[in-house]
Amino acid sequence: MKNTHLIPLILYACLMASVGTLGAGYLLAGYWWMIPLFFLLALFWGFTIKHPVLWISSSLLSTHVILAAIGIAAGFSQFFMIASCICALASWDLTMFDQRMDGNAARNTNASLGKRHLQSLVWATAIGLILVLFGYHLNLQLPFGVIVLLVLIALGCLIYGFSFILRKST
């Protein structure tokens, strides 16, 4: 971790928060026997921090999301499951960001990019958690077609946003 001193600290905090909240959701539901699985998940996440490879990090993120989805489907605490997914996504993002910055020789540029990246990540995470809390207390009954349309609009916005960022960076 060569970018800034904050990135490893925040990365490990997000990692522990993601595995901890996922484990807490399962433990509160009485699935204490899954504790070794969560230790294994944390161990593999730690391995990807030291040796970042996109497909390993992405498969761990997918495993984390699948476990959270199973927890939500089984009726576990939605807040814990969604918070764990948000923290896991932040861990994945910081791992990939650190991997991209490792080859960059300009230390002051890395620090500046790291600071901006952390700021945007904090904003995105905070907005995500606020939307989760808002949605947690709001019960809307929407038809399936409306949900599909909203998801397609959200995906279109994400694609447009990423393409805008890529155009600005080049």
Side-chain angles (χ1 to χ4, degrees):
M1 305 274 159
K2 301 174 183 89
N3 300 328
T4 68
H5 297 296
L6 282 179
I7 289 179
L9 180 66
I10 294 172
L11 176 57
Y12 284 113
C14 287
L15 169 65
M16 290 301 123
S18 67
V19 174
T21 52
L22 185 66
Y26 273 82
L27 286 174
L28 288 174
Y31 288 86
W32 57 268
W33 54 270
M34 295 215 27
I35 291 174
L37 176 68
F38 298 122
F39 280 125
L40 229 108
L41 192 62
L43 183 68
F44 284 133
W45 269 110
F47 175 76
T48 62
I49 291 170
K50 296 291 183 191
H51 310 285
V53 178
L54 178 63
W55 72 269
I56 294 174
S57 299
S58 298
S59 62
L60 281 171
L61 176 63
S62 299
T63 302
H64 200 99
V65 169
I66 289 169
L67 285 172
I70 290 170
I72 289 174
F76 302 168
S77 171
Q78 289 181 2
F79 178 75
F80 280 134
M81 298 295 115
I82 293 172
S84 73
C85 284
I86 290 172
C87 291
L89 185 59
S91 296
W92 176 83
D93 177 69
L94 287 173
T95 303
M96 294 298 100
F97 177 75
D98 192 55
Q99 180 187 13
R100 286 188 306 268
M101 291 294 111
D102 261 351
N104 196 353
R107 301 287 281 163
N108 57 354
T109 304
N110 279 357
S112 173
L113 284 174
K115 183 179 177 182
R116 278 191 270 149
H117 188 80
L118 286 175
Q119 287 172 343
S120 65
L121 184 63
V122 166
W123 275 106
T125 304
I127 290 170
L129 284 173
I130 289 169
L131 288 174
V132 165
L133 288 173
F134 182 70
Y136 190 67
H137 295 290
L138 184 68
N139 190 10
L140 293 176
Q141 301 287 332
L142 296 175
F144 181 73
V146 173
I147 293 172
V148 169
L149 179 66
L150 290 174
V151 166
L152 289 175
I153 290 171
L155 283 174
C157 290
L158 281 172
I159 291 169
Y160 177 77
F162 281 126
S163 66
F164 178 77
I165 290 170
L166 288 175
R167 280 188 305 232
K168 281 288 217 186
S169 67
T170 56

